[in-house]
Amino acid sequence: MCACRCGIRVHIRDGEVRYIDGNPDHPLNGGVICAKGSSGIMKQYSPARLTKPLRRKAGAERGAGEFEEIEWEEVFGILSDRLGKIRSTDPKKFALFTGRDQMQALTGLFARQFGTPNYAAHGGFCSVNMAAGMIYTIGGSFWEFGGPDLERSKLFIMIGTAEDHHSNPLKIAISKFKREGGRFISINPVRTGYSAIADEWVPIRPGTDGALFLALIHEIIALGLYDRDFLVRYTNSGQLVNLDDAHDEFGMFVRTEVPQEEGCYDPQNKLWWDRNTNKPVVTHTEGADPYLFGEFALPDGTSVKPAFQLLKERVKDYTPEWASAITGIPAETIKRLAHEMGITARDQKIELPIAWTDSWGKEHDTVVGNPVAFHAMRGLAAHSNGFQTIRAMSILMTILGTIDRPGGFRHKAPFPRPIPPCARTPNSPLAVKPNHPLDGLALGWPADPDDLFVDENGEPVRIDKAFSWEYPLSVHGLMHNVITNAWRGDPYEIDTLLIFMANMSWNSTMNAQEVREMLNDKKENGEYKIPFLVVCDAFHSEMTAFADLILPDTTYLERYDVMSMLDRPISEFDGPVDSVRIPIMPPTGDCKPFQEVLIELGSRLKFPAFVTPEGRRKYRDYPDFIVNFETEPGSGIGFLSGWRGKGGEKFMRGEPNPKQWEMYAQNNCVFHYELPRSYQFMRNWNKGYLDWSQRNRITRYSEPILIHLYSEVLQKFKLAAQGRGITRKPPAHLAKRVESYFDPLPFYYEPLEAQMSDKGKYPLAAVTQRPMAMYHSWDSQNAWLRQIHTYNYLYVNAATAKSSGIADGDWIWVESQWGKVRCMARYSEAVEPGTVWTWNAIGKAAGAWNLTPDANESQQGFLLNHLISEELPENREGARYSNSDPITGQAAWYDVRVRIYKAEAGEEVSSPQFEPMKPYPGMKARPSWIAYFGGKNK
Amino acid sequence: MTQLALVIDLNVCVGCHACVTSCKEWNTSGSAGPLVDERPYGADPTGTFFNRVQTFEVGEFPNTETVHFPKSCLHCEDPPCVPVCPTGASYKRKEDGIVLVDYDKCIGCKYCSWACPYGVREIDEKSKVMKKCTLCVDRIYDQSLAEIDRKPSCVKACPTSARLFGDIHDPESNVSIAIRENGGYALMPEWGTHPSNHYLPRRKTNIKIHEDELERADNPLKVDGLLPKPAKSEPSLDDITSW
Amino acid sequence: MNPAFSVIFLTTLIGAGQGLFLALFTLQSYAAFGLLPKEADGFYATGSLIALAFLALGLVASFFHLGHPERAWRAASQWRTSWLSREVIVLPTFMGVVFCYGLMHFLHWKPQVATLPSGVPVDLSDLFGIFGTMLAFVLFGCTAMIYACLKFLREWNSPLTVVNYILLGGASGFVLAAFYASVAAPELTKFFSGWAFIITFLGLLGRIASLVRNKRLRPKSTIQTAIGVKHPKIVQKSVGFMGGSFNTREFFHGKSEAFFKMLKPAFLVFAFVLPLALLAASFSVASAMLAGFAFIVQYGGLLAERWYFFAEANHPQNLYYQSIG
Ligand SMILES: Nc1nc2c(c(=O)[nH]1)N[C@H]1C(S)=C(S)[C@@H](COP(=O)(O)OP(=O)(O)OC[C@H]3O[C@@H](n4cnc5c(=O)[nH]c(N)nc54)[C@H](O)[C@@H]3O)O[C@H]1N2
Ligand SMILES: Nc1nc2c(c(=O)[nH]1)N[C@H]1C(S)=C(S)[C@@H](COP(=O)(O)OP(=O)(O)OC[C@H]3O[C@@H](n4cnc5c(=O)[nH]c(N)nc54)[C@H](O)[C@@H]3O)O[C@H]1N2
Ligand code: SF4
Ligand code: SF4
Ligand code: SF4
Ligand code: SF4
Ligand code: SF4
Ligand SMILES: [Mo]
């Protein structure tokens, strides 16, 4: 259902759902279930369900919600005509963007086969900073790719997390951790949810965590609380950096004389300065021990320093006192936190009797762990300084020696991956060719400026400007800028925008009010600026109103789904896990799984992957596709890794197995491969694991994945911006931007919007949090969940509110430099005084989700997104960049600054208000009361 | 004698409401259902639930505790709601101490709800009878369910296992041990209702660091602080003057 | 609490009915001892009918309070423990006695059953009168105990509740009797008005006593005992739902503080001060209307009093339902 992908059991009585509970045998949730999962019945039978394909009525304005029912055959006719034409002329005029789905492997394949570069999922507006910041540092990340090993940890630091993707597993783990006496510290401007049960709450000002981490690093290095052995062997701390300013290689690691092919991995051709011989040696030379501090001169006179020395210099001025002024956390607390982390890591070491061999052939009798675990999410990610902040956090985790070790951070397959992972986008517009699949992936991991997806003038190829000089490492795209860019025709106009499972006119867009206008805006010739808009949704969302064509999707109880190794599987620390969904109800009305739609379209448009060389349809339907599709003919790699091979005897790789679905069904819908114990830890440098992973084609290379304490990738961009080296160079107007943010070592800067705001006028930071009992915007149609969150308040520290003359429960205006919303205030003592917050996406447009136009969601609820802009204010040159991290393009949701003041008497309804949406044809009438009883006979 | 009850551990409850909706979901189609929802898609939606999760803030910034507080019928050992019921619809079972309402007898006079200090009984506005937590009597004895499923729905759902279920009269039961060892307490003890459900308080783990633990003999700075000595051949004052 | 109009009407109507019956039998007793001239049977018969009418109206009102009135008969089963059940038994019994009492007078069928040592003859209607009087008090007791027995509704949990139910019911019954007499037997008006004055005055004292007591009450349950956390500053942030529930509707009167504050003097004036003045006036001014007016004013005042009685009670469950968020 939601992104957590828990195992559930659906109990049916007389064809109706009677009960949904957690599957006790499922590795993810072990039988527990959340509030949303338990309310699945009200989702399945919601009157907000779409049941018929709908077309905007001829003559009706977009957004007016006037639709007529059509048949699927007509839908396919319209789409294959239109898309066929685009594909044969200019494929990039078709854009496909998807929200919180779990089928990026298929949607990505479809887009690539279509030939458009304009594809991405929600990552860019979600938490790409987390993915990129950590993957570019340690080769894996939180999110679905790894997490804290609370089973063995002693000290757990949770930063900026309210709920997260892995919510049930996290809850299970935290409570066990607490019961076993672990110490739990939460760093968050707000104390709710998980933070509520923390042993210590450290309130912090939003956007300042980078300063905190740098100060913690400062203190830990100053006291020698870092794990030296770990740093030496498993990170690039000891590697020598060229500091010859005149050199094109300035800031790069010095390479050995021996030239080595540099593929998509870290070749072991760097140098240490050996303390035994007092000479530069190749890293990991037997018997050598590198200096971590100091400055040395190579025989040719080049001045070099170990990376760790540079880190130490970087954090020199980042003292706890300095950070205290920025974060609002007392310096004493910062020091104590550093001591708690350092001492726990040092003195409570775990030693497991597991023998393993490292990449350099050294045998270890034990696996050692330093039991300090971190977890962080969007509180760090959703700021425009998030990438560098998350790098700082990753480095803090690293110097404590906690990466893929017991009690620290643990990877989940298919991670760790090389830094950066090998996937690349094309690097030139030539990759987009009529009637051809895209020559490369739409999303990838640039390793240097030559990997950017730009034309010869350095201008973006993608509609969202991802992988351009504006946001070079935007590895998940910038979905939040698609509508604005397409509307403006910058970098070009598009024809058809297909949105799947994203509410882009409401909560997953910034600046919602104006974006809604853009969706309706017309050119001079009367044509819409975005000519054709197709929305695939299961419910009556705000977005559907703007569609020209609505494709009614099935629910999670009505379709096949896979949580594939090619996407984001549900792997555990101990090995890869993937899973499937098998429908237990027939589709409601004329709903059709989007997967089937894509396969049908792909077949009709004769995409190479979907038809035989003779042009005949290859796959009957989605289940058939899942079983038989291989990444390349005969590769043996498909969407599912379990029960492959003719009889289901193989895993990870193997021929298609016609009985694969049945075998999943017999096994709780889960395939779980438990790695041998010796492969479960230290995987960045675990020879056994890396070979296993290479043999199973999880990775192409089995070279060790050294932690990038110092990031050469970032330095390469900096050098290019300085006009050095042989790579591409940024256009002049972007050189300064790239030079300042691409720093090989983390640094702190104030979030971009704050830098460009009048903080005297807008003194408060405004953020949102996930309510545990609501999934984004889509649960207000749920009769049970909406009783829990019927509308939302703005929570304000009581002292802050009083100083503005605001009483508890007052109607107030919240104003940013971009606009204002009216809502109600609620006092709270559990929020940092400079922060105000609300639950995310509770406010709705009137009439949406088939609620009555007077429903509380629209009359008392409000959406913070109206206050957030998708673009920053104009800079000095008059350019407007996305309101995003300048490195990754991560949407900076939590950077907005606001002020609050009392609303006039009589203003007792939330603002802004929109023309109420009407119900669509095919939707059930909403009852005035329900007394649900699953199954007719009592 | 048996007294079944829930023990709720406030030390780990994160306020996720899973217990709230899983209770509703089980019971609306169970022997206690259906449970009405009024104006489910309109203004001020409201309905009958047996279990609610509330939130309290304790103290003042920055020393604030946020307490999530689930509450359902406490199945009091001395339930004031039972004797007041004029019809005998409200009763306490001898065999396991569960307090139940017999819907066929209930006249919907609401008197029992007045007699309950905890605010856990809710009238069903459609069926017009008084409803409340049944401790999932239609699950816990159901032999057709697997052993691990013979638990209240809310207990099964709770992701943090903040909800324990068992016999508080059996000193060796999980709930008795939890109450005994973790300072379990009853709500509003002043009324002598002797609630069977208990709550476990917040417990904190702190680390005490002694100054002398900060530095240890194997401090890496002892290694890293030793920078290379300059080569003997490098220039020094010896080269320029002889004094 | 959120007062239900059915219950307000039930308690005030049957209170007046009980009081009226008591007034009638007081008259009969006076007459039996020769303290007043014997009154014609018709006066008693009609008076009983009026009392019955009030009782019946009260009974009807009570049905509006039930979700399942068709099952009301079941409510008689728990007399061992439930005051409500006892009320359910006593009320119809009392009505039966009043009916018999009235019928005897109507039929002039009053066989003598005994003679008191003083020689005063006792007939069957006297016996029924005595029995009815006892039942009237028992009924007052049952009704009042429904509220007074709830120990955590501390505003109610006091003997004053029982005393006041008796006094207020009695007062309205005697005022009603005065009104009735002023129409049917004007010479008795002063007798009833006199008693009505005394009882109303006592009622005023009793009610003031309970108001004073309630004002002094310090809540036994606090947010600290409610959730078991010891800290002087605890504030609820969420009740767990936002569109209301039975627990937010049934236990809060939902009216403004100002309204609530205004109601106390209002009911004191209407239920006590004005009727006392009108009754006092009726001693000097001979007007049939004064007693009638007194009754109407007082009844209105008692409705307000009863509303206030319910609304004033602060149920400890409200500690759990303070703030939506
Ligand atoms: N129930 C539920 N579960 C969900 C979702 C849902 O909608 N509902 N959505 C899913 C999705 S798509 C996502 S991306 C995840 C997101 O999961 P989370 O990352 O947990 O999401 P948020 O609710 O955004 O939490 C952000 C937290 O960061 C804090 N914060 C904000 N700014 C800062 C800061 O500068 N520093 C620090 N230290 N903290 C800060 C906020 O107070 C908040 O507690 O949840 C997933 N799970
Ligand atoms: N202010 C603020 N805004 C935010 C955030 C924030 O923290 N603060 N968080 C951001 C983040 S991290 C994210 S991920 C986005 C999420 O934003 P979105 O991805 O837009 O998520 P939803 O709003 O839930 O929209 C999902 C849409 O999918 C539909 N849907 C549900 N089930 C199905 C199905 O089975 N099939 C199909 N086809 N459709 C379905 C729903 O009806 C809904 O219209 O929001 C972002 N917006
Ligand atoms: S909604 Fe998400 S967290 Fe809840 S049970 Fe379903 S998959 Fe798990
Ligand atoms: S909690 Fe209330 S309803 Fe439950 S047994 Fe106790 S008094 Fe009765
Ligand atoms: S509402 Fe039902 S259960 Fe409660 S006292 Fe009345 S009859 Fe008994
Ligand atoms: S025990 Fe059953 S009825 Fe009671 S709260 Fe839990 S789920 Fe609901
Ligand atoms: S399910 Fe568990 S953690 Fe969630 S609110 Fe209920 S008791 Fe608390
Ligand atoms: Mo997200």
Side-chain angles (χ1 to χ4, degrees), chain A residues 100 126 162-163 188 207 209 378 383 769-770 774 776 894:
Chain A
R100 293 288 312 123
C126 183
E163 172 69 340
N188 199 313
D209 303 75
R378 297 188 60 259
H383 290 286
Q769 299 201 96
R770 304 276 181 280
M774 278 276 170
H776 292 291
Y894 297 163

Side-chain angles (χ1 to χ4, degrees), chain A residues 33-35 171 772, chain B residues 8-10 12-20 22 51-53 68-70 154-155 157-163:
Chain A
I33 190 165
C34 78
K171 288 179 190 126
M772 291 184 177
Chain B
I8 292 158
D9 189 351
L10 300 183
V12 292
C13 172
V14 292
C16 70
H17 287 88
C19 49
V20 174
S22 76
N51 180 32
R52 310 274 193 179
V53 176
H68 297 294
F69 184 80
C154 58
V155 172
C158 178
T160 62
S161 44
R163 306 176 73 88

Side-chain angles (χ1 to χ4, degrees), chain A residues 261-290:
Chain A
E261 181 209 357
E262 302 218 359
C264 159
Y265 56 86
D266 225 354
Q268 300 297 299
N269 57 354
K270 321 281 174 9
L271 299 180
W272 284 346
W273 200 282
D274 178 25
R275 47 189 330 120
N276 298 327
T277 57
N278 201 11
K279 275 210 302 264
V281 297
V282 175
T283 64
H284 296 93
T285 301
E286 195 54 47
D289 182 25

